[in-house]
Amino acid sequence: MYREEVTVTTGMKQGNRDEEAMYDMILAAKNGELSDVEMEALHSAMMESEEVRKMYLRINQIDELIGGAIELEGGEKVARVYRWPSLVAVAGMAAAVAIFVTVWMVGEPEDDSGIVGEERKAPIASLKSDYGAFFEGMNGGIQEFNAGEFHLEKGIASLIFANGAEVVFQESSQFKIEDDMRIVLKSGKVWAHCPPSAQGFTIDLPGQNSVVDLGTEFGVEVVSERDSVVQVFSGIVELHSAAHRPYELSQGQAVVWRDGGEPVEIDFETVNFVSSEQLEAQRFEAYKETVLGKHGLIYYSDFQIGEAGKVYNEKNGASGVKRMENVWSASGRFGDTRAVQFAHKGSVMELDVPEAGELDELTVVAWVKPEKLVKSYSAIMNTHGWRSGGMHLQVTGSGELAVGVYPGHAYRSKGGTISVDRWQMIAVTVNVKTETVTAYLDGDLLDMRRLRKKESGITRGVDLGMASLGGWQNLDYRDYVGPRNLNGAIDEMVIFDRELGAEEVREMYALGQP
């Protein structure tokens, strides 16, 4: 087990006093109580110390948790009013600039694989995705499956076997995994897809009946201790029984099959089997419902084409997209969901979010899939022009996330992190009061920087106004910087009028990842 010891060294005495000083400094910044000199000291500490950045994120989460209402006796609710502790002496703040945080990892992580001195074997099957899945006797989420018996009490779970076969188990399914080519279905429903590498994959049914795949997509339901239903969506399966010769079942056919008897043909699609695509669609709808219910949401679009070919802001029903040129609908990250594809010069989608103007806090979340990173910038979302409070969110040719808020100092994330040909969730928060810009990639903290104000400062907060997705519509700068077209797709655009905490960003990624 890991044990973490933190040593804090400052110009003052070492120990808890310095941690408390930094804690108070961050809280005072959130209340707008720091002077310019003190704010400079805080940002220097943030840029120098990962631990200070983590402390800032933790305080942000606590702020969210305690900001609700208090329920008094009798059911009366009053708004929670609080003020953070006052700032310590300026001398303490100056000393805090010299903080150096070191983390000492003591001991070795425990190996719970049960294998000593040997390479751990790959599992027979792994969880691909699920929707509210809960397995009997499993306290936490189960990700790997080996030989043994399992009971899916609730939800839906999709398993990928080592040979490439995918099996979707529905609620109340009881099954046994024999190996990567055979399972025993004791009760419940399954949908299976078997590529050529899994040809011969077998599902044993109660009694002495078995379904043997010959490269296909099929469904099986155990109706009772003796009866089962089998139907084939594509390809061919063979039905094997000790009492009869193999029976071939092809696409569009369905049978009810009693142990010891011959299969009897029935109407196709008499049983509702959840396919892999349908599971992904259910997951997406659950994720979408969660996002739409979040506090502070002002814009949400998954780029599904509505009436009259328009794309709507699903938060308020308004047509937030003003213009689309040289873009088209493409496959999204979930099942049959859609994304918007940008491919060449002139591809652009103009977005107008009046609610995203003059904000002290802002969060932008987007799922992107670049196909190629060009030498210059590839725009995800750029405000028109380059005015006070305007924001640019772009990707560099080396995969760095570039964020700029005018007239603040634009910065690039450390290292090439954004890759091509896969869906990634990018989230950026801006807090004008604390002068911080925080970037996340796939739910993890990517970077935190100071929002450096210039002489005029951001006088009216962050102001998106009219913005372009996948390009930059700015005639004044076009000859110099070019249109900055994105060669790739955007699946979703979400905007909040507040700074999301790290835990909320992680939750959005966990629920929304394909």
Side-chain angles (χ1 to χ4, degrees):
M1 181 178 295
Y2 288 112
R3 184 171 78 252
E4 186 176 82
E5 293 185 4
V6 180
T7 302
V8 180
T9 305
T10 70
M12 298 171 61
K13 291 176 62 178
Q14 297 182 16
N16 291 334
R17 287 182 58 190
D18 297 306
E19 293 183 46
E20 292 171 2
M22 181 54 65
Y23 190 85
D24 283 349
M25 175 181 276
I26 295 172
L27 299 182
K30 292 181 70 64
N31 275 349
E33 298 172 351
L34 292 187
S35 67
D36 291 341
V37 173
E38 292 163 346
M39 187 64 76
E40 182 71 33
L42 173 60
H43 284 295
S44 297
M46 282 185 175
M47 287 185 283
E48 293 172 4
S49 170
E50 181 181 357
E51 288 301 312
V52 176
R53 293 194 293 271
K54 288 180 179 179
M55 181 183 292
Y56 174 85
L57 294 175
R58 287 197 298 270
I59 291 172
N60 210 36
Q61 294 172 36
I62 295 170
D63 194 0
E64 295 163 7
L65 291 173
I66 70 174
I70 304 174
E71 184 168 341
L72 304 177
E73 293 184 7
E76 180 184 359
K77 289 187 177 181
V78 297
R80 183 187 297 269
V81 180
Y82 62 91
R83 189 168 184 82
W84 294 108
S86 60
L87 188 63
V88 298
V90 175
M93 296 303 101
V97 182
I99 287 178
F100 295 93
V101 182
T102 58
V103 180
W104 177 31
M105 306 302 292
V106 181
E108 296 290 335
E110 296 177 357
D111 183 3
D112 58 357
S113 65
I115 301 174
V116 179
E118 296 181 14
E119 185 178 347
R120 190 167 180 266
K121 294 181 179 179
I124 293 176
S126 300
L127 183 69
K128 176 187 176 185
S129 64
D130 75 280
Y131 179 68
F134 179 79
F135 286 88
E136 180 182 8
M138 306 294 178
N139 294 326
I142 179 171
Q143 298 294 322
E144 297 182 349
F145 295 77
N146 286 300
E149 299 196 12
F150 302 90
H151 178 200
L152 179 62
E153 288 188 335
K154 298 179 181 179
I156 307 169
S158 172
L159 271 59
I160 290 287
F161 285 75
N163 54 29
E166 180 178 5
V167 182
V168 178
F169 296 87
Q170 293 180 231
E171 186 172 302
S172 301
S173 292
Q174 291 182 284
F175 60 98
K176 180 180 181 182
I177 296 178
E178 298 281 3
D179 52 43
D180 65 348
M181 289 297 291
R182 183 181 297 271
I183 66 172
V184 179
L185 183 62
K186 299 180 178 181
S187 65
K189 301 178 187 178
V190 301
W191 170 94
H193 174 263
C194 301
S197 58
Q199 186 170 337
F201 187 83
T202 300
I203 299 179
D204 291 335
L205 304 175
Q208 296 181 310
N209 292 348
S210 299
V211 181
V212 180
D213 159 74
L214 298 180
T216 180
E217 179 185 324
F218 62 97
V220 179
E221 179 186 19
V222 174
V223 181
S224 67
E225 292 183 356
R226 298 192 61 189
D227 297 326
S228 301
V229 171
V230 183
Q231 61 184 46
V232 180
F233 301 101
S234 65
I236 299 173
V237 300
E238 280 187 347
L239 309 183
H240 290 209
S241 171
H244 302 279
R245 294 189 306 172
Y247 183 94
E248 194 173 272
L249 201 64
S250 58
Q251 180 176 339
Q253 289 185 301
V255 297
V256 61
W257 194 14
R258 170 159 288 197
D259 179 32
E262 292 190 357
V264 178
E265 288 204 31
I266 57 176
D267 292 337
F268 189 68
E269 291 189 342
T270 56
V271 180
N272 180 27
F273 294 102
V274 177
S275 68
S276 179
E277 285 192 354
Q278 290 170 330
L279 169 58
E280 294 306 299
Q282 289 188 35
R283 287 186 60 229
F284 176 71
E285 288 303 318
Y287 158 80
K288 183 174 173 180
E289 183 178 353
T290 299
V291 174
L292 286 172
K294 278 189 170 293
H295 168 63
L297 179 71
I298 57 176
Y299 184 86
Y300 176 89
S301 179
D302 57 7
F303 302 119
Q304 307 301 304
I305 305 298
E307 296 180 4
K310 293 184 177 180
V311 175
Y312 293 92
N313 176 3
E314 295 189 42
K315 176 60 180 178
N316 57 20
S319 180
V321 174
K322 297 302 181 183
R323 182 170 68 94
M324 291 188 292
E325 289 187 6
N326 299 315
V327 300
W328 61 89
S329 181
S331 297
R333 69 188 191 279
F334 279 103
D336 59 356
T337 61
R338 309 305 297 169
V340 60
Q341 180 78 34
F342 303 87
H344 52 75
K345 292 181 179 180
S347 292
V348 69
M349 176 180 283
E350 287 190 352
L351 187 69
D352 185 16
V353 187
E355 300 86 351
E358 302 182 15
L359 300 175
D360 287 334
E361 297 182 21
L362 176 76
T363 299
V364 176
V365 181
W367 282 88
V368 300
K369 183 182 180 182
E371 294 180 357
K372 180 182 179 182
L373 296 177
V374 298
K375 192 177 241 186
S376 60
Y377 290 112
S378 297
I380 298 172
M381 185 191 73
N382 283 4
T383 53
H384 287 194
W386 190 223
R387 61 184 185 277
S388 179
M391 179 177 176
H392 283 189
L393 180 56
Q394 306 172 109
V395 182
T396 69
S398 57
E400 299 164 319
L401 184 63
V403 182
V405 180
Y406 186 88
H409 175 69
Y411 73 88
R412 298 181 179 187
S413 61
K414 299 176 181 176
T417 52
I418 298 171
S419 56
V420 298
D421 294 329
R422 75 175 184 90
W423 287 111
Q424 296 140 100
M425 191 188 89
I426 294 170
V428 174
T429 70
V430 179
N431 191 317
V432 177
K433 288 183 178 178
T434 59
E435 299 180 16
T436 49
V437 178
T438 308
Y440 301 86
L441 179 64
D442 290 342
D444 294 327
L445 177 64
L446 180 63
D447 209 345
M448 176 185 286
R449 298 290 184 91
R450 181 190 174 189
L451 179 63
R452 296 185 184 276
K453 294 183 179 179
K454 293 185 179 179
E455 293 179 358
S456 60
I458 299 176
T459 57
R460 298 179 302 173
V462 184
D463 185 3
L464 295 184
M466 288 289 292
S468 297
L469 306 184
W472 191 22
Q473 299 301 298
N474 186 1
L475 296 177
D476 294 336
Y477 286 83
R478 183 170 297 179
D479 291 340
Y480 175 65
V481 299
R484 300 186 177 182
N485 289 109
L486 172 68
N487 192 330
I490 302 177
D491 189 9
E492 196 172 53
M493 180 63 64
V494 191
I495 303 174
F496 297 87
D497 64 2
R498 65 183 179 90
E499 180 183 8
L500 292 192
E503 188 59 37
E504 287 184 285
V505 175
R506 280 192 291 270
E507 177 195 36
M508 282 191 67
Y509 175 71
L511 293 175
Q513 64 177 319

